[in-house]
Amino acid sequence: MAIALELFPPTEQSNTSLYERATTEDYALDSYQNLLFSVARFREVTGHFPTRITVVGYAMKHRRYEELHRKALRWPIDVEYWKYFGIDMEDEEERERAIEG
């Protein structure tokens, strides 16, 4: 889908496309592991740790990521190093089920 939408154009700095640099992390079982394992996967692929982290997730999980997961990794809260973009669910019934779960 990302290829069809041309979300992987060549970068200005090199001829390597974002597609060739994209990777996945397939082992996380919860939100903390999503964050932790993604940082580890970044290091595995690039050879160094990231300088900043951007998380896109449910708005209701913002506090959990910022106050617990980020803190557990001892990651700085500064906007320069950490950003969380919360997405709200439009379907109220679906949102309530997610909160309950």
Side-chain angles (χ1 to χ4, degrees):
M1 183 172 167
I3 293 170
L5 293 172
E6 297 179 354
L7 297 177
F8 294 118
T11 63
E12 294 177 16
Q13 300 167 348
S14 71
N15 292 329
T16 305
S17 73
L18 293 174
Y19 175 78
E20 292 168 337
R21 297 179 357 191
T23 188
T24 60
E25 187 291 300
D26 300 325
Y27 299 99
L29 300 176
D30 60 28
S31 58
Y32 175 67
Q33 288 181 353
N34 277 330
L35 182 58
L36 177 64
F37 293 0
S38 294
V39 169
R41 180 70 174 142
F42 184 94
R43 185 176 189 299
E44 180 181 35
V45 170
T46 66
H48 58 86
F49 286 102
T51 56
R52 62 181 168 255
I53 294 176
T54 301
V55 178
V56 178
Y58 291 127
M60 66 183 179
K61 292 186 177 186
H62 181 237
R63 283 185 51 216
R64 178 188 314 169
Y65 269 89
E66 199 156 278
E67 295 176 12
L68 299 175
H69 303 338
R70 180 204 54 80
K71 206 175 220 181
L73 293 183
R74 298 181 181 169
W75 200 266
I77 188 99
D78 301 342
V79 171
E80 183 179 340
Y81 304 108
W82 172 266
K83 290 182 185 173
Y84 189 98
F85 291 100
I87 308 298
D88 281 319
M89 289 182 245
E90 293 180 16
D91 181 358
E92 187 63 32
E93 185 179 316
E94 194 175 318
R95 182 178 180 276
E96 290 301 319
R97 280 187 285 153
I99 290 171
E100 288 174 13

